[in-house]
Amino acid sequence: MRVRTAAVLAAPAVLLLAAFFVLPLAAVAHDAFAGGGAFARVLAMPAFWPSLAGSAVLTVVASLLSVTVGVAVALHLSRLPERARTLASFVIALPLTFSGLIVAYGFILAYGRAGFFTQLLAFAGFDAATLGKALFTPVGLAFASSYYLIPRVVMALLPVFVNFDPAQLAAAESLGATRAQALAQVMLPQVAAPIAGSACLIAAVVFGAYGTALALVGTQLRILPLQLYSLVSETGSDFPAAAALALLITAACSSIMAAGEWFGSRHERHL
């Protein structure tokens, strides 16, 4: 009876997974492997390796920036009263409701060549053209992407910090540890796995995302999702190569997520 009940409850999730993940992935894989050397053609494309490097830079910079800021914000929110924390969490989560087009347009208005903050820095003696151009690089895109990645980190880590007992830090300090030692040796081992999981989650998101990048720089920036978009929407003549590139991006994102899960499970076993 319990097995039948579990099967009935799991059936909708299994159907959704099959319809929206397994079947589309199988169709893409069929096109890629039936394309006659599609993977070799992708690897031989002149733009592939520069795009891979651009995606790597974007992923590393966006992840480091988002995790650093997100951890600090989540730690601060965990120390606030519950009502203030709830209000602040609501405000921080608002960027998740905006589309990539809105985010890109806002950053162009604020940090583009004629943007508000760019012009303020130009009055201070900086070169407005150089500052405005930086927004349309992988590092600039990482800066723009952190706008919606930081709230993901905060929402994921806030319950962890709220449930952490600060009495542990007080006990460590009473035994002679400095504040930094207490954080590094008492708190960090307990929150390292969730932080690593959040870092891998947003790394996978930004590695495969293209909406904000497309709205911000079009197809001029060399990252893998925009190269895939070009293969599908512009040339439209080598769909097996597009399918192969899609599988490579999927494999990379899945590997990043798997690395986060592996680190989390391994870390928890050693606590």
Side-chain angles (χ1 to χ4, degrees):
M1 185 65 182
R2 291 183 178 179
V3 175
R4 183 178 300 177
T5 302
V8 171
L9 293 176
V14 172
L15 291 175
L16 286 174
L17 183 64
F20 295 102
F21 179 73
V22 176
L23 291 179
L25 183 61
V28 172
H30 176 269
D31 288 344
F33 288 103
F39 288 95
R41 292 198 300 275
V42 169
L43 297 179
M45 289 178 179
F48 175 78
W49 296 106
S51 297
L52 178 61
S55 292
V57 171
L58 168 63
T59 302
V60 171
V61 174
S63 300
L64 289 177
L65 176 61
S66 301
V67 169
T68 301
V69 176
V71 168
V73 173
L75 183 59
H76 174 70
L77 291 182
S78 68
R79 299 173 178 175
L80 296 179
E82 184 176 356
R83 182 173 298 180
R85 183 168 63 243
T86 302
L87 178 60
S89 299
F90 171 77
V91 174
I92 291 173
L94 282 178
L96 297 176
T97 65
F98 300 149
S99 70
L101 178 61
I102 296 175
V103 173
Y105 184 60
F107 271 85
I108 291 173
L109 291 179
Y111 301 102
R113 291 181 177 86
F116 176 75
F117 290 104
T118 304
Q119 295 304 311
L120 286 180
L121 292 173
F123 283 120
F126 293 92
D127 185 9
T130 302
L131 293 174
K133 185 179 179 180
L135 180 62
F136 306 101
T137 64
V139 175
L141 180 58
F143 174 65
S145 299
S146 65
Y147 180 77
Y148 63 86
L149 294 176
I150 291 174
R152 295 176 184 268
V153 178
V154 174
M155 295 299 105
L157 295 181
L158 182 57
V160 176
F161 289 123
V162 169
N163 292 320
F164 178 80
D165 187 2
Q168 300 178 64
L169 299 178
E173 292 177 9
S174 68
L175 295 174
T178 64
R179 186 66 173 179
Q181 289 175 328
L183 290 173
Q185 299 178 20
V186 177
M187 186 178 196
L188 184 59
Q190 300 183 51
V191 301
I195 291 176
S198 297
C200 290
L201 172 63
I202 63 173
V205 169
V206 75
F207 188 91
Y210 79 98
T212 301
L214 181 64
L216 189 64
V217 297
T219 58
Q220 302 304 312
L221 185 65
R222 290 193 171 184
I223 57 175
L224 290 180
L226 292 185
Q227 185 182 0
L228 174 60
Y229 177 83
S230 298
L231 287 174
V232 173
S233 65
E234 294 181 3
T235 58
S237 59
D238 195 352
F239 287 107
L245 181 55
L247 285 183
L248 292 176
I249 295 175
T250 301
C253 294
S254 300
S255 299
I256 295 172
M257 292 295 298
E261 293 295 328
W262 174 83
F263 177 83
S265 61
R266 181 174 179 273
H267 187 81
E268 289 177 358
R269 286 198 301 267
H270 287 80
L271 284 178

